[in-house]
Amino acid sequence: MASVGRRRASPRPSGRPLVVRGLTAAVLAGAFVAQTAGALLPDVPLLLAATAVSLTVEGVLSRWQPVMSSLLAKCHADITVRHVLRDLLLVVGLLRLGEHDREPQFAWPVAGLLVFYALHCAVQAVSVLVRRTRTLPVLTRNIDASALRLSPAPAALLRRPGHRLLLLGLPTTAGLATAAVTGDPLPAAAGTAVSVVLAAAGLGALLVRLLPSRRPAGEQEVLDWFDAWLDDYRPTVGLYFSGGASSAYQANMWLETMSRLDGRPVVVLRERFMVARIAATDLPVVCLPKVSTLMRLEHSTLRVLIHPSNSGKTSQVLRIPTIKHAFVNHGESDKLSSCNPYAKAYDEVWVAGPEARERYARAGVGVEDKDVVEIGRPQLDAVRPWSGPPADDARTTVLYAPTWEGWDGNPGNTSVVAAGENLVRALLADPGVRLLYKPHPLTGSVEPTAGAADRRIRELIRAANRERPAGASGPAGSASELDRLTAELDRLAAELDRLTAAGVREGADQMERMLAQSAPPPGRAEAVAKATAAWEEAYWASLPQDEHQVVTDVRPALYSCFNNADLLISDVSSVISDFLAGGKPYAVANTSGMSEDAFRAAFPTAAAATVLTPDASGVPALLETVRHPEKDGLADARAELKLRLLGPDEPTSRERCDTALRALSTAALNHRACGEEQAEARHPRSQRLAEDLLPAPRHASDAGTGADAEASRSVTPPSRPAPPG
């Protein structure tokens, strides 16, 4: 129980943000207290100074402190309440200044103030209505949705009540403050008038969007359009994904594979925010947030859904009887997540090689061996085979790619905390090493100690680079060549950014993104692949040969790092299995507290690895085996382990994946046909009556020619080796 409490507490922010937020709240509260004192005394300088400080803090909250703004709102002290209080105190101060019969002089400014706040509430109400008309039941990417009368989003100022009130209310606040100094009600009246006009203009701009001619398509119209698109595109295989904001990489790693599969692929998402997080692709993307909309896939030509992860919403799509489901995972390792009991909910589990099949058998989680299909890892086509040790005059490039701490709090998950700094120091101590440090993007998201260790490792690398000799050579030994390569890299980066850009302005809502990201231009996918390869080549060529690198950006990708490394040091994770595709030496950090023999027995992916202890004492000997292959006693073990983890090289993984897809598609068609026959047998009269009265349902089995007929032919099922002895 203590460990559970510790894991729940760990995501809390560190002390510094809390201090900043507390200080911001204290300054804001103090400003209101001072403004109250200035209004009641009355004291004009104090009133104006406190008002200025209060407005400054509001700007800070709006720009840099969204969390604090949310906390204040939960305490019923949101920006509307604060703005009303600020203006009210200014009015009180004005009324207390000078003679006691000044109330009639400020009647118009006060009336204008009330009208402004009434308009603010009206703008917010209409803004909500406009947002609802722009919230479609289906979101898409790479699909022409012009028939839905999509339009750009309203100005961001009209959609954000806090920003709107702060900016549109500034003329009123400025007018009241000026009146407090001059004693003249005219500035107050003018300021409130400007605010009223601006608010009325915003209200009018929003009301126009509610006119029938300006509204986008309604819910039923969108659903009818989606059904028509399904009929026209006739998808056969889909990538189904649901998850949190930080999990998009799990789907992204399968996009290229999906684009190469036989059939007509589609990406099916469930969370609206995920549409923008899916990487650049030419595949059609549909987001179906509601279960009722998701169920419309039952009557489509979709036969197989591929699942790279488990989620709570996966159970919803598994209810569709006309679709077969294959779990492919987003990576394979010896972790418990690679033999999750939930996998038995799928029709098939597609794994890389025999080791994964045996892993499920050993785990005894209910996945039957007949449902496990070995397809290899199609993504690993990008990993180049080992070409031998580094040249005598070249540095040994070591990739340290630790995994993250995981959700279970097991200290053996990541080596960053217990061994990371020792490993990095040992590598940096060798003058012939160039280090590439690529931490997992979720490092530190659960355990703050992991995040702190990651920051210390980065500082060690930066310090080592600062201590490089003054005459350290660039990529080609000359400053001019370095400048040329850097310029070329910048040009390629700009080209790649242009090709992969979302093409939407800042502040665009989901409908505007859907409008901007319609059908992609022909050949974009090929252009992106070509530009990415050119960028990666230029990137590695532009780096100084003796400079260590911290790789955290999207580019270069992990597999590009594989191709430029001579050695991998990692933890028990899918990184190991993927790296073995190149046949290069690798090491695994043992921070579990087990003996080496027990560690190898518990984690089969470490069978061909050099096992490093947390003190990193084995690093020098490891580097020696990399530089002198005759001392490498694990080469044969790596080749054997590669076969066990990833399967044979022939047929290729892509061919095996296509074969598995065709077999499962055929099973889906047969299941659908069997269901229709059973329905006819149970209710023949009702079935015939329905056929006479209703339009024919959209079934893939209705068509016997073209691509559907080709996909429904008999195919040889993928190889399913016998279960282990």
Side-chain angles (χ1 to χ4, degrees):
M1 294 299 291
S3 63
V4 172
R6 176 172 55 82
R7 292 197 301 274
R8 288 179 177 174
S10 58
R12 292 177 181 172
S14 59
R16 185 175 178 182
L18 287 176
V19 171
V20 173
R21 292 171 192 166
L23 182 61
T24 303
V27 172
L28 183 62
F32 276 115
V33 171
Q35 193 181 17
T36 303
L40 296 178
L41 288 177
D43 187 321
V44 173
L46 179 60
L47 180 63
L48 295 181
T51 301
V53 171
S54 176
L55 288 173
T56 302
V57 176
E58 291 289 0
V60 171
L61 289 173
S62 175
R63 181 68 177 84
W64 294 293
Q65 294 281 341
V67 175
M68 192 65 212
S69 297
S70 177
L71 290 175
L72 289 173
K74 291 179 180 178
C75 299
H76 296 280
D78 60 17
I79 190 170
T80 302
V81 173
R82 299 195 301 270
H83 210 285
V84 169
L85 178 59
R86 187 162 37 246
D87 288 345
L88 177 62
L89 289 173
L90 283 172
V91 171
V92 170
L94 285 172
L95 296 179
R96 289 184 57 81
L97 288 170
E99 299 83 3
H100 292 286
D101 58 349
R102 304 182 65 193
E103 289 84 352
Q105 302 177 31
F106 289 94
W108 284 109
V110 171
L113 190 64
L114 295 176
V115 171
F116 168 69
Y117 281 112
L119 286 172
H120 167 70
C121 294
V123 170
Q124 181 59 23
V126 177
S127 176
V128 171
L129 292 176
V130 170
R131 185 174 70 245
R132 289 180 178 176
T133 65
R134 298 180 61 83
T135 304
L136 304 182
V138 178
L139 290 180
T140 65
R141 261 177 62 182
N142 300 331
I143 298 174
D144 182 6
S146 56
L148 300 181
R149 303 188 300 278
L150 307 181
S151 61
L157 186 65
L158 299 178
R159 293 180 282 132
R160 300 173 181 173
H163 294 73
R164 181 177 65 244
L165 183 58
L166 186 61
L167 292 179
L168 299 189
L170 274 179
T172 294
T173 304
L176 292 173
T178 304
V181 175
T182 63
D184 186 355
L186 184 59
T192 53
V194 171
S195 293
V196 167
V197 170
L198 292 176
L203 178 61
L206 290 174
L207 285 172
V208 168
R209 290 177 174 269
L210 294 179
L211 296 175
S213 61
R214 297 290 301 274
R215 293 167 66 103
E219 180 173 354
Q220 188 57 49
E221 189 177 352
V222 173
L223 294 177
D224 292 341
W225 169 85
F226 179 61
D227 289 341
W229 178 82
L230 288 173
D231 281 342
D232 180 64
Y233 180 65
R234 300 184 68 79
T236 57
V237 56
L239 179 73
Y240 179 91
F241 188 74
S242 171
S246 61
S247 63
Y249 72 95
Q250 299 173 358
N252 289 336
M253 67 172 55
W254 279 95
L255 293 178
E256 185 177 356
T257 299
M258 289 293 299
S259 67
R260 298 195 308 247
L261 288 178
D262 289 343
R264 291 176 296 283
V266 62
V267 178
V268 180
L269 306 176
R270 301 301 310 283
E271 290 80 20
R272 295 178 182 272
F273 65 82
M274 192 62 70
V275 177
R277 294 183 179 272
I278 292 298
T281 178
D282 284 1
L283 295 175
V285 178
V286 298
C287 178
L288 310 175
K290 294 182 179 180
V291 178
S292 58
T293 309
L294 179 71
M295 291 301 147
R296 303 179 90 85
L297 297 178
E298 179 177 356
H299 302 292
S300 73
T301 56
L302 194 62
R303 302 162 195 153
V304 175
L305 280 178
I306 294 174
H307 300 257
S309 69
N310 297 309
S311 73
K313 294 181 180 179
T314 301
S315 61
Q316 298 170 350
V317 75
L318 293 178
R319 294 161 52 190
I320 300 179
T322 57
I323 298 176
K324 293 293 185 179
H325 303 270
F327 180 61
V328 294
N329 214 336
H330 53 277
E332 291 187 8
S333 70
D334 293 320
K335 294 180 181 179
L336 293 178
S337 58
S338 290
C339 51
N340 193 315
Y342 196 92
K344 63 186 176 184
Y346 303 93
D347 296 289
E348 290 184 349
V349 178
W350 293 359
V351 300
E355 175 58 37
R357 177 187 295 278
E358 295 176 14
R359 186 183 300 122
Y360 275 108
R362 291 193 301 267
V365 294
V367 176
E368 298 185 38
D369 185 75
K370 66 180 180 62
D371 296 328
V372 179
V373 182
E374 298 172 22
I375 65 166
R377 284 276 284 169
Q379 297 91 339
L380 299 184
D381 291 346
V383 178
R384 295 195 297 263
W386 188 37
S387 59
D392 293 338
D393 59 345
R395 288 179 176 265
T396 303
T397 301
V398 181
L399 172 62
Y400 177 38
T403 189
W404 66 304
E405 57 269 27
W407 296 114
D408 59 3
N410 189 331
N413 286 342
T414 178
S415 60
V416 168
V417 177
E421 293 172 82
N422 293 334
L423 290 170
V424 169
R425 285 194 183 95
L427 292 168
L428 297 177
D430 190 314
V433 165
R434 179 178 69 158
L435 174 61
L436 306 178
Y437 174 54
K438 187 172 179 60
H440 193 285
L442 294 181
T443 299
S445 61
V446 172
E447 291 292 343
T449 53
D454 171 57
R455 290 189 292 271
R456 291 193 297 270
I457 289 173
R458 299 187 192 204
E459 180 54 36
L460 285 173
I461 295 173
R462 286 191 291 266
N465 284 333
R466 289 194 296 267
E467 295 171 1
R468 292 166 59 214
S473 63
S478 67
S480 60
E481 181 66 9
L482 174 60
D483 291 341
R484 186 191 68 79
L485 290 171
T486 302
E488 177 66 7
L489 181 65
D490 292 341
R491 185 190 68 80
L492 291 169
E495 174 68 9
L496 194 52
D497 289 340
R498 183 188 66 81
L499 290 170
T500 59
V504 295
R505 62 184 177 90
E506 185 178 357
D509 63 0
Q510 292 171 341
M511 178 181 287
E512 184 173 340
R513 287 180 172 273
M514 184 172 168
L515 173 65
Q517 298 174 316
S518 58
R524 186 182 68 171
E526 294 77 6
V528 170
K530 183 178 179 180
T532 300
W535 182 91
E536 289 178 346
E537 182 179 355
Y539 171 81
W540 294 110
S542 68
L543 296 179
Q545 298 173 358
D546 54 356
E547 184 178 82
H548 310 291
Q549 303 295 325
V550 177
V551 184
T552 56
D553 293 335
V554 176
R555 300 191 296 261
L558 178 63
Y559 295 161
S560 180
C561 294
F562 284 0
N563 292 333
N564 286 273
D566 301 303
L567 166 70
L568 168 72
I569 299 178
S570 187
D571 304 322
V572 175
S573 71
S574 60
V575 173
I576 294 175
S577 303
D578 289 353
F579 188 78
L580 273 169
K584 299 177 182 178
Y586 73 103
V588 181
N590 177 12
T591 57
S592 65
M594 302 179 184
S595 66
E596 180 174 333
D597 291 341
F599 184 79
R600 291 183 185 276
F603 304 111
T605 53
T610 297
V611 177
L612 297 175
T613 55
D615 61 5
S617 58
V619 167
L622 171 63
L623 294 173
E624 187 71 11
T625 62
V626 175
R627 292 162 178 159
H628 302 283
E630 67 276 7
K631 300 180 180 180
D632 181 7
L634 294 171
D636 292 339
R638 286 197 302 274
E640 180 182 349
L641 184 60
K642 174 188 173 183
L643 185 63
R644 287 185 53 75
L645 291 179
L646 303 176
D649 293 332
E650 295 295 336
T652 66
S653 181
R654 178 180 175 181
E655 292 171 340
R656 284 182 280 159
C657 189
D658 280 335
T659 301
L661 175 61
R662 288 194 297 270
L664 196 55
S665 296
T666 300
L669 286 172
N670 293 338
H671 178 80
R672 183 176 298 189
C674 181
E676 291 173 350
E677 291 175 0
Q678 291 176 354
E680 169 67 18
R682 287 194 301 268
H683 307 288
R685 182 177 179 183
S686 300
Q687 183 72 12
R688 288 192 297 271
L689 181 61
E691 291 174 352
D692 291 338
L693 297 178
L694 299 176
R698 295 180 300 275
H699 288 308
S701 55
D702 291 345
T705 60
D708 286 342
E710 179 181 348
S712 62
R713 294 189 190 118
S714 298
V715 295
T716 303
S719 173
R720 288 188 170 100

